[in-house]
Amino acid sequence: MVRDSSLPVEEKPIKFGTDGWRGVIAADFTYERVEKVAPAAARVLAEVYGEAAQSQTIIVGYDRRFMAEEFARTAAEALLEAGFEVLLSQTYAPTPAFSWAANDRKALGAIVITASHNPAPYLGLKVKGSFGGSVPPEVTKKIEARLREASEEGSQALSGQALTGGGHGGTAPTRYMTGHGSQKRAAGALQTFNVWPSYCAMLANKVDLDSIREAIRSEEVTVFADVMHGAGSGGLGEILGLPVREINGDRDPLFDGGAPEPLPRYLSKLFRSLRTYQRQKSSGISVGFVFDGDADRIAAVDSQGNFLSSQILIPILIEHLSQTRGLTGEIVKTVSGSDLIPAIAALYNLPLFETPIGYKYIADRMLEQQVLIGGEESGGIGYGTHVPERDALLSALYVLEAIVKSGRDLSQLYARLQEKTGYTFVYDRIDLPLSSMEVRERLLSRLQNSPPTEIAGQEVVDCLTVDGYKFRLGDRSWLLIRFSGTEPVLRLYCEAPTFERVRTILAWAKNWANS
C-alpha cells in the first residue's frame, strides 16, 4: 500500500534535557522544528517572566557549530512573525554572554542555538529567562506541552485535508509554507547586536585585572586556553587585553573527530603544548584552561600537565572567594559533586545545599538564596557576583586571580586543601555508550527493581535517588549511575580513596551494565 503523503509524519517528541533541547542535525533538529520551538518558548517566557521584563524582546544567539547561524536566523524570523521583538547576534559568542545580555537588557529571555558539549552531529536550543539563567524544569514542561498541543491540532487539520481532498487546490499545510528559505513576511525589522564588548567589560570588572596582567607581563604566570573550536574563541585574550596561547581557536564543526567537552581524552594538544613549554621554562607558573563548545563549562591543566576537573576547581574557588575576596553565601553542589566540597564548606563555616544534576537546578537556588558559588561535576560553575548562570570565562578569571594572589600552582592549592580537610579521595567518570534507548530502559528497570546491595566487594550502605542512583559504600567510596538526558549514554561517576579503587569500582559498573 502506498502511503498518502498528505498525512502527517510521526516525529520524535521534542524533549528538553538538563539544559535545552538537542537532536541530530537534519534528523531531529530541523529548520521546521526550530520554527515551531522558538515561538512556543517565547510565548511561555512571556507568560512566566512578562511582568518582570520591561520589553517583548527575545535575544537570539548561537555558537560555532555546523549551520548554527542559519538556524539562529530561522529562529529570529519565526519570533518576528510571532510578534516578538528580536535582537539577533552578529556573531558567535558564549551562551553565558547571551544569558547575561537578557538580564542586562531587561529582555523576556534568550534563545541560544547550541549543543554545548555534544558531538558534531548534534545541534540544540537553550532557553534562558529574563533573570539571566536557564529556565527551571516547570518552564520547559510548559514549552513541551504547548508544542504537543500545536502538533495535535496540526495533525487533525492535515488528516481533515486528506479526507476532504484539501491538499488539492486548497491551503497548503503549514509545514510546507514555512520551511527554511521560503518567502516570509517579517512582522518588523530584524535588529542585530554584538554582545562581546559589553560582556567582556563586565567580566573584567569582577577581578583584580591589573594584578593578573602584571603577572602575565612579567611571565610569572603563562596562560594557555583550549577553546575546543568553540564559542569561547578569543574571549580570554579580549578580556585580559593581552595575548593568550590559544589552542583549537579555529572553527571546526567536526571538532577534530571528537566532542567539545572538557575531558582529558580530547586535550592532547593542550597537554603537549603545556609540557613542551614547561620543559623550556625554568620558573613561573603555567595554567591551561579548557572551555566547552559554548563556553559555559571549564576544566584546567596545571604546570605539570595534570588535568583538573571542576571537582578540584570548585574547592579552590570556594577558598579564594571566601578567604581572599571575603565573600560569603551558600555553597550549592549537585549530587555528583565531590565530597571535598562539603568538607571545604564545613572548614569555612559556609552553608551547603545539594541539587539534582543540571545547572538549571543551581540557577533556581541562586534566585532564592544568597549563593557564593554553585557548581556541577561536568564543569559548570556560577557565582553570586554574576547572573545565575555558569560561565567558563568568569571561572577562568577567578582561577587566574587565585593563582596570582597566592603565588601557587593549581595542584599546590589543591594539595593544601586536602591537607586542611584531611580529605584525599580521588574522582573519575566514564561515559558508556548504549546500543539503543531500549537498552537504557532495561538498565533503568534493573536499578528500580533490583538495585545492587554490594559493589566491587563493598556493602552498599546507602542509596540516594535524587538524580540517578548514588550508592555509598562501606569504605566511604561512592558510585553514581545516571543516564544522559540527550543521548543513549550511561554516565558512571565514582569517588574513592585511591585511583586503583576508582578504577575497580568503575570496571564493576561497566560489567554490571554490559551483563
Side-chain angles (χ1 to χ4, degrees):
M1 182 179 72
V2 178
R3 185 187 183 280
D4 186 343
S5 61
S6 65
L7 292 176
V9 178
E10 188 170 344
E11 297 178 319
K12 182 189 296 184
I14 292 171
K15 293 283 188 183
F16 283 75
T18 53
D19 193 9
W21 159 57
R22 296 174 203 174
V24 175
I25 299 169
D28 306 311
F29 197 88
T30 64
Y31 289 116
E32 181 186 33
R33 302 189 98 186
V34 168
E35 284 178 327
K36 295 174 182 177
V37 175
R43 291 186 182 105
V44 172
L45 288 174
E47 292 172 6
V48 177
Y49 305 110
E51 291 185 9
Q54 298 179 12
S55 72
Q56 286 290 303
T57 300
I58 301 290
I59 287 170
V60 178
Y62 55 93
D63 65 9
R64 298 174 93 189
R65 284 177 179 267
F66 179 65
M67 299 191 79
E69 53 268 74
E70 286 87 352
F71 277 105
R73 178 166 286 273
T74 295
E77 290 173 351
L79 289 165
L80 277 176
E81 287 193 349
F84 293 92
E85 298 170 8
V86 180
L87 270 179
L88 173 63
S89 181
Q90 295 170 359
T91 184
Y92 69 86
T95 290
F98 298 119
S99 297
W100 170 78
N103 180 260
D104 183 61
R105 292 172 178 263
K106 297 179 172 56
L108 277 176
I111 288 175
V112 188
I113 303 299
T114 176
S116 187
H117 63 285
N118 287 105
Y122 286 83
L123 198 48
L125 183 151
K126 292 184 177 181
V127 182
K128 306 296 180 176
S130 61
F131 55 87
S134 297
V135 295
E138 55 265 28
V139 173
T140 55
K141 284 185 173 66
K142 286 184 178 181
I143 297 170
E144 291 172 352
R146 188 176 285 270
L147 290 167
R148 283 195 301 271
E149 292 166 5
S151 177
E152 290 166 3
E153 290 172 2
S155 296
Q156 291 171 3
L158 285 172
S159 297
Q161 286 176 357
L163 291 171
T164 60
H168 302 282
T171 302
T174 302
R175 64 193 182 123
Y176 297 119
M177 294 194 302
T178 59
H180 181 71
S182 60
Q183 298 300 313
K184 297 184 288 185
R185 185 175 182 83
L190 183 58
Q191 299 181 58
T192 63
F193 79 121
N194 184 357
V195 73
W196 277 106
S198 56
Y199 171 65
C200 289
M202 176 272 300
L203 291 182
N205 286 327
K206 294 190 179 297
V207 293
D208 184 353
L209 203 60
D210 289 340
S211 295
I212 294 173
R213 285 171 171 165
E214 178 56 32
I216 294 173
R217 288 194 188 100
S218 65
E219 298 187 351
E220 293 175 23
V221 176
T222 303
V223 180
F224 292 76
D226 188 340
V227 298
M228 307 196 86
H229 308 288
S233 179
L236 196 53
E238 180 70 21
I239 296 166
L240 296 174
L242 293 170
V244 168
R245 296 169 185 259
E246 191 169 274
I247 296 167
N248 294 320
D250 60 312
R251 184 179 188 178
D252 176 11
L254 296 179
F255 305 112
D256 287 329
E261 187 169 12
L263 296 175
R265 64 178 175 270
Y266 301 127
L267 304 179
S268 58
K269 289 182 185 177
L270 178 59
F271 289 137
R272 188 165 55 249
S273 298
L274 263 167
R275 288 165 182 159
T276 299
Y277 178 78
Q278 203 62 31
R279 282 197 299 268
Q280 299 168 349
K281 188 172 170 58
S282 59
S283 62
I285 297 170
S286 299
V287 59
F289 294 109
V290 188
F291 307 142
D292 75 332
D294 66 336
D296 62 0
R297 300 187 186 196
I298 188 172
V301 178
D302 70 7
S303 296
Q304 288 72 47
N306 299 310
F307 177 79
L308 290 86
S309 72
S310 58
Q311 301 278 46
I312 296 172
L313 296 182
I314 291 170
I316 290 171
L317 287 163
I318 292 172
E319 182 177 60
H320 173 67
L321 293 172
S322 65
Q323 303 306 298
T324 304
R325 280 199 151 262
L327 302 176
T328 190
E330 188 175 70
I331 309 301
V332 184
K333 68 179 285 288
T334 63
V335 68
S336 60
S338 168
D339 282 349
L340 180 59
I341 296 172
I344 295 295
L347 178 67
Y348 294 123
N349 198 29
L350 296 167
L352 181 79
F353 187 80
E354 190 168 79
T355 74
I357 294 172
Y359 199 83
K360 57 190 174 184
Y361 300 104
I362 298 174
D364 202 31
R365 184 68 178 177
M366 293 176 84
L367 293 171
E368 300 172 356
Q369 298 287 332
Q370 181 185 352
V371 170
L372 174 65
I373 184 173
E376 55 184 352
E377 166 274 338
S378 59
I381 311 173
Y383 308 88
T385 60
H386 193 26
V387 291
E389 175 69 295
R390 53 192 173 185
D391 194 317
L393 284 169
L394 179 55
S395 293
L397 292 173
Y398 278 141
V399 170
L400 261 179
E401 188 178 55
I403 292 170
V404 170
K405 295 292 186 182
S406 68
R408 292 183 171 91
D409 189 22
L410 284 176
S411 288
Q412 292 175 322
L413 290 172
Y414 178 53
R416 286 177 72 246
L417 288 177
Q418 290 179 310
E419 183 180 345
K420 287 179 181 180
T421 60
Y423 189 85
T424 57
F425 279 40
V426 177
Y427 168 85
D428 198 9
R429 161 192 153 185
I430 58 174
D431 291 350
L432 185 65
L434 304 176
S435 59
S436 68
M437 295 302 280
E438 287 73 22
V439 173
R440 176 189 188 277
E441 294 308 310
R442 288 201 294 272
L443 289 174
L444 180 58
S445 176
R446 285 173 62 188
L447 286 169
Q448 291 170 337
N449 299 318
S450 55
T453 57
E454 183 179 296
I455 292 175
Q458 284 287 323
E459 180 188 2
V460 173
V461 297
D462 184 41
C463 180
L464 183 67
T465 57
V466 170
D467 188 350
Y469 290 78
K470 185 174 184 177
F471 300 97
R472 287 197 174 274
L473 310 182
D475 62 354
R476 296 178 63 203
S477 303
W478 58 261
L479 169 69
L480 172 61
I481 300 175
R482 179 177 171 271
F483 299 92
S484 166
T486 55
E487 307 167 76
V489 172
L490 185 65
R491 304 201 189 283
L492 305 171
Y493 314 74
C494 178
E495 193 168 55
T498 65
F499 279 114
E500 182 180 0
R501 184 63 182 154
V502 167
R503 287 193 292 267
T504 298
I505 294 172
L506 289 176
W508 180 95
K510 285 179 67 175
N511 290 335
W512 170 86
N514 290 327
S515 67

